[in-house]
Every structure is written in C-alpha cells, then in structure tokens.
Amino acid sequence: MHPTGWFQVAWSADLALGDVVPLHYFSSELVAFRGTDGRVHVLDAHCQHLGANLAVGGCVVDDGIQCPFHGWVWDGRGRNVRIPYEAKPNRARKVRAWPVSERNDSIYIWHDVLGRDPMWEVPDALRSLGDHISATAFRSVDADARVLTKNVRVHPQTIAENAVDPHHFRFVHHTPISPVVLRETSDNASWAAKVGFGNKWQDGIDNAQDTINTLEILWSGVGLSFSGEHMRNGIRVTGICPTPVDDDVSDIFGTYWIDEGSEDPKGFIENGKAALVDDVNIWNYQRYIDPPGLSPSEAAGFRKLRTWARNFYPPIDDADTKSLSGLPDRADA
C-alpha cells in the first residue's frame, strides 16, 4: 500500500484561506493548511518540539502554522521559523513536508518511500482526454459532484486494472455487451486507453474522429484516474482517485465534471456515483490473485498493465520492507 505517485487527500473546497485540516494517509497523521498566501501545504502532524498535533488546535499565521502547545511556528517546507519566547528558531529540527499539487479542483500529495522528489506532474483532467473534451465547457464542481468513499478494502492497483477489464462493464454495470478496448498507450508515468461501447465498435477499429459512445481513460501512476465519457446526451469527466489510508484500506475520491450543455446534470452525476458504488461492492470483498486465471481475450491487457505498474514500487532492497508489507506481489500475471 505504498506505491510511488500523486494521491488525492482533499478537494480544494475543503480548505478555505487559513483553514487547518487533519488527515490520515499512508499510515501517517498529517496536517493540511492553506496559508495566508492561499497556498496549500501538507506536513506530518506532530510538532518537533514536544510532539503536539498541529492539526488539533494549530492555527495559520503569516509565516506558517503555529503549534497550539508552545506557539512554535513551522513554515510550509516544515522548517521552524519562529519560537515566540526565543531570539532564534530551532534550525536543527524539521517536520516532514509533503510535495503538494492543487489542480482539478483537488489537492494531491506526492508519496515515495525513498523520499524522491516528484517525477511527473499531475495531469489536467479536462485537457488530457482528447480534443473533444478539451473543447468542452464544464459546470463547476459543487458539493453534489464530489463523493468520498472511506475505508474501502482495495489496493489502488486493483482499481487501475479496470482500465484493461472491459468485460466487467457487462456484469457489474449491466451494459448490454462488453465494450471494446480500441487503443492503449503508456509511458513511465501514465496509462491511456480508449474504449468503445455498442455494436458499432465491435470490429475494434478506432475511428479517431468518432467519439460518441466512447470512454477515454487516463491513469497517472496508480493513484489518479480520469475518464471522459461521450454519450449522446453529453460528456462527463470522472475522477476516481484511490489513496491508501494504511496497509489495509484506501479512501476513494470521486469527482464529476458535467458539460454545460447537459440537460440533466444531476442525473449524469447520480449515474456516475451509482457506477462507483457497484465497483466498490466488488473491490471491498475482492482478493488480489497473482497470477490470475485469465481468459485469452483479456490476458494481454492485464499482463501489460501489471508490468507497467511495477514502475511505481521502489526496489525492495532500497525501501523500508516493513512499510511495504501490504503490497501485492509484483510478478507477471
């Protein structure tokens, strides 16, 4: 449960100017705060003076977050910048600061057990899924368009494998026939696919100019997933972003962007939420099997994706093997 990559920990709307919010991800107690300059910072929660929790009673001040116990101030980089009753700060102590990216109406942190700096950027969800989606105007993401599903017993990689699992649509989401994977591309950071729904796509030919009844999928690492679905009544972009809480469970952040031309935006959102519930009902009770018993029509996709996913697990010899005890095995499917 410790893959490398970007992971969502909140929505932008969760942190107004000066807000302090407690978080718990990757088996760590964290504190998120929006400074007086409007930037979001995430630190380990405990003050390096006497261990008070900065998220419980801490407050934002001009130069960072102030501990509720003795008033020590820590900036967004985790450095002690002020001790109210001393002439100088304690430069020897530091609170761990997590790299933060605020994009897509969301707040993400970078996680890497080896402590490496971010190796890629968070993609723009509305500009990375094809020209037909980039050219679309979307409604603002309000509270109804966000859903947090907490403590799901699933590893993020299991969710990523949906990108190469067209047959689950038929049985989990009740499509009349299984969709067809029309295109797959990947690099060290991302996996992209185009899926076609309906009889016209059953020949498996990708007509790049035709996007009706297609789903464009983008995974950035195994933590961030965005999909753009073009239906006859409009376009919906969905973010499904799983973040490990500890070695057993993940929180799943669901975000729904609906195009401004949709006549039934509420129905579009509710339909997307219902699909997530269907998936969660499977993931919560699923056991990771390696190697799985794959049929001929699905074997190649699963093997390719599991090989790609290896990019996000540091070599066991270099990492803290105790912290990695919740990872699935990384052998080929």
Side-chain angles (χ1 to χ4, degrees):
M1 294 291 269
H2 287 268
T4 292
W6 290 102
F7 295 86
Q8 187 170 350
V9 294
W11 285 282
S12 296
D14 294 332
L15 278 166
L17 195 69
D19 277 356
V20 176
V21 174
L23 302 171
H24 185 95
Y25 290 107
F26 297 103
S27 300
S28 299
E29 291 185 74
L30 310 175
V31 58
F33 66 96
R34 192 180 294 277
T36 56
D37 62 356
R39 294 182 60 191
V40 174
H41 304 281
V42 177
L43 307 176
D44 278 0
H46 294 281
C47 177
Q48 288 299 297
H49 173 213
L50 288 171
N53 192 319
L54 298 169
V56 183
C59 63
V60 172
V61 293
D62 284 343
D63 42 358
I65 184 169
Q66 187 167 48
C67 178
F69 198 10
H70 292 84
W72 287 35
V73 178
W74 305 88
D75 69 9
R77 296 171 62 183
R79 302 172 301 181
N80 180 233
V81 293
R82 183 156 50 91
I83 301 172
Y85 46 87
E86 300 290 350
K88 296 181 179 180
N90 186 330
R91 302 189 188 281
R93 302 306 294 263
K94 190 173 182 180
V95 180
R96 178 171 59 166
W98 297 64
V100 174
S101 178
E102 185 168 13
R103 203 171 197 181
N104 307 322
D105 303 293
S106 303
I107 297 167
Y108 310 100
I109 61 171
W110 172 262
H111 172 267
D112 181 70
V113 292
L114 302 183
R116 295 172 294 184
D117 291 334
M119 291 178 273
W120 65 86
E121 295 184 357
V122 173
D124 185 332
L126 304 181
R127 299 293 179 267
S128 302
L129 294 169
D131 292 342
H132 63 295
I133 293 175
S134 298
T136 299
F138 290 89
R139 297 171 182 268
S140 299
V141 175
D142 58 18
D144 289 338
R146 303 188 296 267
V147 59
L148 175 59
T149 308
K150 296 182 69 66
N151 297 324
V152 181
R153 300 187 68 85
V154 65
H155 189 287
Q157 184 179 317
T158 297
I159 301 177
E161 291 180 6
N162 269 13
V164 293
D165 185 11
H167 297 305
H168 93 280
F169 283 94
R170 179 180 169 192
F171 298 96
V172 178
H173 305 304
H174 309 296
T175 60
I177 56 176
S178 296
V180 175
V181 178
L182 302 170
R183 181 187 70 242
E184 291 176 348
T185 59
S186 63
D187 56 31
N188 287 338
S190 63
W191 180 283
K194 180 181 179 180
V195 178
F197 290 80
N199 288 318
K200 74 173 182 176
W201 297 108
Q202 293 303 301
D203 60 8
I205 298 174
D206 177 17
N207 179 354
Q209 304 305 314
D210 191 352
T211 60
I212 295 291
N213 291 335
T214 64
L215 181 69
E216 293 279 355
I217 302 170
L218 174 65
W219 276 90
S220 176
V222 295
L224 306 185
S225 162
F226 305 104
S227 59
E229 189 170 5
H230 189 183
M231 293 167 275
R232 296 193 180 278
N233 56 341
I235 292 176
R236 176 179 64 214
V237 173
T238 301
I240 301 296
C241 299
T243 303
V245 174
D246 53 31
D247 285 342
D248 297 310
V249 299
S250 298
D251 286 354
I252 301 175
F253 293 81
T255 310
Y256 303 90
W257 292 269
I258 308 301
D259 80 82
E260 289 186 348
S262 171
E263 297 180 357
D264 184 19
K266 184 176 180 180
F268 239 175
I269 292 172
E270 293 307 313
N271 177 266
K273 289 180 178 180
L276 178 57
V277 170
D278 291 339
D279 283 321
V280 168
N281 286 338
I282 297 294
W283 297 331
N284 243 332
Y285 303 96
Q286 184 176 358
R287 175 180 293 178
Y288 187 89
I289 294 180
D290 192 19
L294 298 170
S295 71
S297 65
E298 62 194 2
F302 271 88
R303 290 190 177 116
K304 288 178 183 177
L305 191 136
R306 289 193 177 187
T307 299
W308 168 80
R310 291 178 182 173
N311 291 324
F312 312 112
Y313 304 112
I316 294 297
D317 291 343
D318 297 337
D320 178 355
T321 55
K322 182 177 180 181
S323 72
L324 295 176
S325 60
L327 285 174
D329 294 335
R330 293 178 293 151
D332 274 338

